[in-house]
Amino acid sequence: DPDNYNIDFFQKRGNFRINNITINAVPNDDLFAQTIFRLHDIKMEINDFFLSFIKSNGDPKIQNGRGDFLLRNFEIKLPPDLLIDETMKSIMQDLGVRNGLIRIRELGLNFHFYDDEFGTINFSFISPFLKISSSVQMSIDKNNNDLLNSVQLFDTKLRISPISYGVRDYIRQWEIDNNKTFRREGPVIVLEISGSLSNPTIIGLD
C-alpha cells in the first residue's frame, strides 16, 4: 500500500570524505557560459545513525535519527556570460565577490531525533560575506498527520552575521522597505523562533 509504509535504516559508524574535486559545467559547449564547482574538503561523519520513516495515511514522519554533515572550502566560479549582466555585476560587487568566484568556507548540519517525539538541528553557514548559525529544538506530535502542524519549535535561535557592507546594506534596505527592525547583539541579528512550522512566532523582528 503506497499510503502506508515503515522504513528503518541503521548504521553504527560511517566516515565519508572527498578532497579536491573540480566539476566543469559547459552548456552547449559554450566556454563563456561555463560554471566551475570546486570541492576542496567534503566530510560526512555518522555515529550510531538510525532513521525510522513511518507513513500511515498522511505525511511521512521521522521517528528517531542522528547524523552529521560538514562541507568545507566550496567554490563556485560563475560563467563570464552571467557576469556581463549589470545587475549581477552589482550584486557580486556588493558581496565582495571578485572575478565571479564565490567561496563558501563551511556548510554544516547536525541533527538528532530521539524518544519518538523530540529533535535538535544545528546548522552553520560561513562565507566571506555572510555567516549564519541556527540551533533548533523541536517536539513532534506523532499523532498529527499534518507535518507542518505536528512540529513545534522551542528554544530555537537564528543568528545572522552580515560580514560584507553590501549584505548589511541589503538588510538595512529590507528593514526600511518593510518598516521592520531586526534585533541585534552588536552587528549580529538574533531571532528567536517558537510555535508550529505552519505559523511560527518570531521574536526579534519588530
Side-chain angles (χ1 to χ4, degrees), residues 106-110 121-125 132-136 158:
E106 182 177 299
L107 183 64
L109 177 67
N110 168 276
I121 298 175
N122 294 294
F123 170 80
S124 63
F125 172 87
I132 300 174
S133 65
S134 67
S135 176
V136 179
L158 175 64

Side-chain angles (χ1 to χ4, degrees), residues 35 49 55 64 71 91 135 200:
T35 301
F49 180 74
K55 183 178 181 182
N64 296 286
L71 176 66
I91 292 174
S135 176

Side-chain angles (χ1 to χ4, degrees), residues 77-102:
K77 175 70 173 175
L78 298 177
D81 276 358
L82 184 61
L83 299 175
I84 294 175
D85 181 80
E86 290 299 325
T87 301
M88 181 59 69
K89 189 184 297 184
S90 175
I91 292 174
M92 292 297 101
Q93 184 176 355
D94 290 339
L95 294 179
V97 174
R98 297 182 179 180
N99 301 318
L101 184 62
I102 300 176

Side-chain angles (χ1 to χ4, degrees), residues 173-181 205-206:
Q173 190 60 52
W174 184 92
E175 290 177 306
I176 294 171
D177 293 342
N178 294 275
N179 195 28
K180 299 285 187 180
T181 302
L205 179 59
D206 303 318

Side-chain angles (χ1 to χ4, degrees), residues 126-144:
I126 302 174
S127 74
F129 51 86
L130 181 66
K131 180 179 178 181
I132 300 174
S133 65
S134 67
S135 176
V136 179
Q137 297 195 55
M138 66 182 75
S139 63
I140 305 167
D141 181 0
K142 59 184 179 181
N143 296 317
N144 191 331

Side-chain angles (χ1 to χ4, degrees), residues 4 8 12 14 39 73 89 117 177 179 182 184 186 190:
N4 297 276
D8 292 337
K12 179 66 176 177
L39 310 175
N73 301 321
K89 189 184 297 184
E117 58 179 335
D177 293 342
N179 195 28
F182 288 111
R184 289 173 169 81
V190 180

Side-chain angles (χ1 to χ4, degrees), residues 12 18 20 39 42 69 82 142 148 186 203:
K12 179 66 176 177
I18 294 179
N20 299 321
L39 310 175
I42 302 177
F69 177 78
L82 184 61
K142 59 184 179 181
L148 294 181
I203 301 174

